[in-house]
Amino acid sequence: MIRSLLTPRTVAIVGASPNPDKIGHIILRHLLKGRARVYPVHPHATRILDQPVWPSLDALPEPVDMAVLATPAATVPELVQACVRRGVEVVIPIAGGFGETGEEGRQLERRLRAIVQGSRTRILGPNTLGVLNPIYGLDTLFLPDDRLPRPGAGSVALLSQSGAVGATLLSTAASMGVGVSAFVGMGNRLDIAEAELLQALGRPEDPTAVIGLYLESFADGPAFLEAARQLAGRKPVVLLKAGRTATGARAAALHTGSMAGPDQVVDGVLRQYGIWRVFDDLELVDTCLALALAPAPAPGARRVAVVTCAGGQGVMLSDYIESTTRGVGLAMASFSEGTRARLREVLPSFASVANPVDLTGQASSAMYEQALQVVLEDPGVDAVLASVVLQLPFMGPEVLPAVARQARRYGKPVVAALVGVKDTQEPFRTLNGLGVPTYPSLWRAVRSLAAILRYPAVAAAVARPADRPMVPR
Amino acid sequence: MSTRVPARLAAAEHELKAILAGLGIKVPPSRLLLPGDPVPGSLPFAFPVVAKVSSPALLHKTEAGAVRLGIRDGAELERVVAELRSRFPDDPILVEAMERPGVEAIVGFFRDPVFGPCVMVGVGGVLAELYQDVAFRRLPVRAVDVEAMLDELRGRALFEGFRGLRASRQALVEVVLAASDWVLAHADRVDQMDLNPVFVREHDAVVVDAKLMAPSQG
């Protein structure tokens, strides 16, 4: 299934349209930019976008791995039947009008389930944004790529139950230069759901390093937890679970029943299985980026050094790092005497050589690199928050590769913040491309660094199947 | 906030406590008086004692006036039992030692519709619902999971020795583990279970009150 879902050799697009405004046209256009052989299907048209068109799935000259259905819900059962007949492995009905609309739609879904039962045909969706694989070259998304920018290839996999939220995640990732290994819009999850995708993306040979999910419900809670448990510590799972305030139907006869709100239970259980929970879409992308790029910290790492060029940033960053109420509750590192002495040689005479290091407005790219190197060498520093003020007169774009160079050299987690810069994309893409997670906000940078430093403990506390002696007696 | 639904317990308190004792969980020493049993002249534990009507039909004993605390001697016990029997003639009466108080914990079990059998641990006693200071995990749990739950509590210091209070965190963890294993093994017969309060003391933890609800169907 997963090969045909993410790397199909052949794709049929049913409902391909000559009209550039129709989603059947948009999807065809995106598919043609990719690597799969594409078969447009339309009852009458003969050529669309300069491609030969086939009148039906049955008329295709070869079996296809994937069929995208850009036709209304009512037509879907018959088309899925044809997919089963032709041995299509993955069929993606894009249309809404299924279980999300009510009983009639649910009935339609039951019919689809019955049609594929026992066959090799699997369904993604219905009511889904589709699949994107920038590494292989596959784009079935119906949102035009001139309106929804696609992220480049990378190691973050994104799975979303909602199409709109999925689109938000993709455009955020694209604008920050976060590379994606796969995006799957799961839609109504009639068949393919998060647990199976987690397993597939978790295989060692898959290029995915981190999996970020947006869910409003669990298709199968225990299966999802089990899949996540297998990945803990190897490929982090980051979850944005919405629907937190939905009222539970638990009978409240005892104290326990009245206190066990559904979201509180979710919170404890996610922690138990090593799943990193986040609370908004930016945090989801930010955390995936951080965990995908940063090297593993030393055990117990929590002492952070800040290198900045502005006093105000140093004050705010220190608050965010140390505060337990409006911050992440990590520690500001104290530098050794040797580190201070070396900083004094590097920095202007009026700059601060304590943590946070403030290079002042006199900061140059060379000075920044030297200061960063000095603090990274201090054994009392576990990680560095590097805030680079690109607007300063002596600071040039060469500082970006310099930061990445020093980060790589010491293997300690380094997260960069670039705030208020004129070019809101290129510097981020550059640094992220060089392996340093980089954010346009001080707070988001600190929050992401905290995830890097804390994730290993979360993963380590997860029970491996082997160390669970307790079985039902 | 919570709706109290009419419900029936799956076991009387003395039956549930016998199960807990069989799991190695400490419960107060007790003597059960069946309807018609005379009040014994002496008890194998010291006064003061507690007398409670022990019936699966009584979900909220205190509210129903079915609990008497601090009974000081045999004569008072005689009077209390007579009074309880006048209102609950068909139910057994559980006479228990008054336990020395400790830090109060709540240990609860329930079936989550998504995750299945789950456990809750937190700050217990009559104010448990007010503080809502509880943590959750799915069953099964290991000792490290229970430790992590206690670490999540705002009131975690209560179980680590706070201002002269001495509480055995280890004893509480053992109660949770033993009860969890039993719940998991009987998951089809347990809808909710409350151990509340559990008195967590310097060297042990004792379950002072316990309630078990069976699933409403079947």
Side-chain angles (χ1 to χ4, degrees):
Chain A
M1 178 281 283
I2 197 69
R3 194 194 58 76
S4 293
L5 180 72
L6 296 179
T7 59
R9 284 164 306 203
T10 46
V11 181
I13 162 74
V14 181
S17 170
N19 178 349
D21 295 332
K22 295 272 191 185
I23 67 163
H25 185 92
I26 296 164
I27 294 172
L28 173 59
R29 190 162 59 73
H30 296 152
L31 283 172
L32 290 173
K33 292 183 186 176
R35 199 192 295 187
R37 242 185 340 272
V38 182
Y39 292 103
V41 175
H42 185 281
H44 324 296
T46 52
R47 284 191 94 74
I48 305 173
L49 285 170
D50 216 23
Q51 299 293 309
V53 176
W54 308 81
S56 69
L57 283 166
D58 290 304
L60 297 184
E62 63 171 330
V64 291
D65 292 335
M66 173 186 280
V68 181
L69 311 182
T71 57
T75 66
V76 166
E78 201 177 316
L79 290 168
V80 171
Q81 199 111 53
C83 288
V84 170
R85 204 156 54 229
R86 292 302 314 265
V88 174
E89 290 206 7
V90 173
V91 51
I92 309 180
I94 302 290
F98 290 89
E100 79 279 8
T101 58
E103 182 46 38
E104 227 169 289
R106 277 193 289 277
Q107 216 158 11
L108 207 50
E109 289 192 359
R110 280 194 290 273
R111 268 177 72 196
L112 294 186
R113 216 176 262 125
I115 292 169
V116 296
Q117 180 108 55
S119 77
R120 61 190 298 209
T121 302
R122 304 291 310 273
I123 297 174
L124 179 70
N127 185 26
T128 167
L129 182 56
V131 183
L132 178 77
N133 182 347
I135 298 178
Y136 174 73
L138 171 72
D139 184 343
T140 81
L141 310 189
F142 63 81
L143 296 174
D145 55 6
D146 54 341
R147 294 196 202 165
L148 177 71
R150 277 32 172 187
S155 59
V156 173
L158 295 169
L159 311 177
S160 179
Q161 191 179 342
S162 148
V165 176
T168 305
L169 300 178
L170 286 172
S171 88
T172 302
S175 71
M176 294 171 65
V178 175
V180 163
S181 57
F183 167 83
V184 182
M186 296 184 292
N188 291 10
R189 299 179 302 190
L190 176 76
D191 175 14
I192 296 170
E194 58 271 14
E196 192 178 3
L197 293 172
L198 233 54
Q199 272 181 343
L201 298 165
R203 293 169 308 159
E205 65 271 23
D206 189 281
T208 298
V210 175
I211 302 165
L213 301 101
Y214 170 83
L215 294 179
E216 289 155 15
S217 63
F218 298 94
D220 178 339
F224 172 72
L225 295 175
E226 210 44 60
R229 181 217 298 277
Q230 303 293 337
L231 295 183
R234 203 159 52 77
K235 299 194 182 193
V237 176
V238 183
L239 173 63
L240 172 54
K241 165 70 178 64
R244 293 188 290 130
T245 52
T247 43
R250 205 183 324 282
L254 303 186
H255 286 288
T256 299
S258 67
M259 290 162 77
D263 194 61
Q264 287 90 307
V265 178
V266 165
D267 209 63
V269 170
L270 294 182
R271 213 165 288 159
Q272 184 180 9
Y273 284 81
I275 297 160
W276 189 271
R277 186 173 195 190
V278 296
F279 292 91
D280 65 61
D281 50 298
L282 283 180
E283 191 183 7
L284 179 56
V285 176
D286 286 354
T287 309
C288 286
L289 173 68
L291 296 178
L293 296 189
R302 62 189 302 274
R303 299 165 301 176
V304 181
V306 169
V307 180
T308 174
C309 325
Q313 289 194 350
V315 176
M316 291 202 332
L317 285 165
S318 305
D319 283 349
Y320 294 155
I321 288 167
E322 288 190 308
S323 170
T324 50
T325 49
R326 287 281 192 273
V328 296
L330 292 169
M332 289 289 282
S334 343
F335 297 145
S336 70
E337 199 36 63
T339 298
R340 286 162 189 268
R342 290 179 59 200
L343 284 173
R344 249 176 240 118
E345 289 167 22
V346 173
L347 268 49
S349 57
F350 49 89
S352 157
V353 296
N355 192 15
V357 180
D358 174 10
L359 277 64
T360 76
Q362 300 292 307
S364 67
S365 299
M367 195 194 294
Y368 198 96
E369 180 171 11
Q370 286 175 315
L372 182 59
Q373 180 177 359
V374 169
V375 301
L376 277 166
E377 260 175 28
D378 191 319
V381 171
D382 297 319
V384 175
L385 196 305
S387 181
V388 183
V389 181
L390 284 175
Q391 299 91 323
L392 291 173
F394 309 121
M395 201 66 103
E398 67 282 350
V399 73
L400 302 177
V403 167
R405 191 159 53 235
Q406 296 305 331
R408 252 198 310 276
R409 182 164 169 187
Y410 294 95
K412 294 178 181 178
V414 174
V415 167
L418 306 175
V419 300
V421 290
K422 185 170 171 225
D423 184 343
T424 55
Q425 301 215 331
E426 199 43 43
F428 297 92
R429 289 200 190 130
T430 302
L431 262 185
N432 287 330
L434 292 169
V436 178
T438 304
Y439 302 92
S441 119
L442 300 177
W443 165 240
R444 287 166 60 189
V446 170
R447 185 174 62 182
S448 303
L449 180 60
I452 294 168
L453 298 185
R454 294 223 164 95
Y455 177 74
V458 171
V462 171
R464 302 273 156 210
D467 42 60
R468 291 168 65 211
M470 276 171 283
V471 290
R473 286 198 279 266
Chain B
M1 187 190 81
S2 63
T3 16
R4 295 284 183 189
V5 295
R8 205 179 151 81
L9 296 168
E13 182 174 348
H14 68 274
E15 295 165 333
L16 181 54
K17 280 185 168 163
I19 292 171
L20 296 174
L23 302 173
I25 294 172
K26 193 164 188 171
V27 296
S30 66
R31 174 77 190 263
L32 187 71
L33 304 181
L34 296 174
D37 280 357
V39 176
S42 72
L43 291 166
F45 44 89
F47 286 92
V49 299
V50 186
K52 313 170 175 179
V53 178
S54 184
S55 155
L58 273 177
L59 191 53
H60 300 291
K61 281 193 282 285
T62 308
E63 291 86 330
V67 180
R68 291 286 188 279
L69 303 177
I71 301 165
R72 280 158 309 193
D73 53 36
E76 186 178 356
L77 180 62
E78 192 92 46
R79 280 198 304 278
V80 166
V81 168
E83 193 272 319
L84 289 174
R85 278 180 170 162
S86 71
R87 291 187 294 129
F88 303 94
D90 304 323
D91 293 314
I93 290 170
L94 182 62
V95 181
E96 282 185 335
M98 280 282 277
E99 284 291 340
R100 190 163 43 81
V103 175
E104 294 189 14
I106 180 169
V107 179
F109 298 89
F110 58 96
R111 296 204 293 188
D112 183 85
V114 176
F115 301 117
C118 288
V119 56
M120 177 185 92
V121 179
V123 177
V126 288
L127 298 181
E129 282 195 48
L130 175 67
Y131 291 130
Q132 298 273 330
D133 190 8
V134 289
F136 299 89
R137 291 293 185 273
R138 178 176 184 246
L139 297 184
V141 285
R142 305 161 299 157
V144 291
D145 297 317
V146 184
E147 297 279 1
M149 292 170 85
L150 295 175
D151 286 340
E152 278 169 36
L153 301 177
R154 293 189 300 278
R156 63 184 166 277
L158 288 172
F159 302 105
E160 288 162 355
F162 180 74
R163 296 212 169 175
L165 289 172
R166 293 258 178 271
S168 169
R169 198 175 141 113
Q170 182 58 36
L172 176 58
V173 170
E174 278 162 20
V175 168
V176 176
L177 290 176
S180 295
D181 280 359
W182 183 81
V183 168
L184 195 57
H186 301 85
D188 52 335
R189 280 184 278 160
V190 179
D191 182 62
Q192 290 176 33
M193 184 162 91
D194 271 8
L195 312 182
N196 181 41
V198 180
F199 286 173
V200 187
R201 303 183 295 207
E202 189 168 2
H203 300 295
D204 64 1
V206 57
V207 174
V208 175
D209 196 4
K211 288 173 178 164
L212 173 66
M213 306 256 321
S216 44
Q217 308 299 349

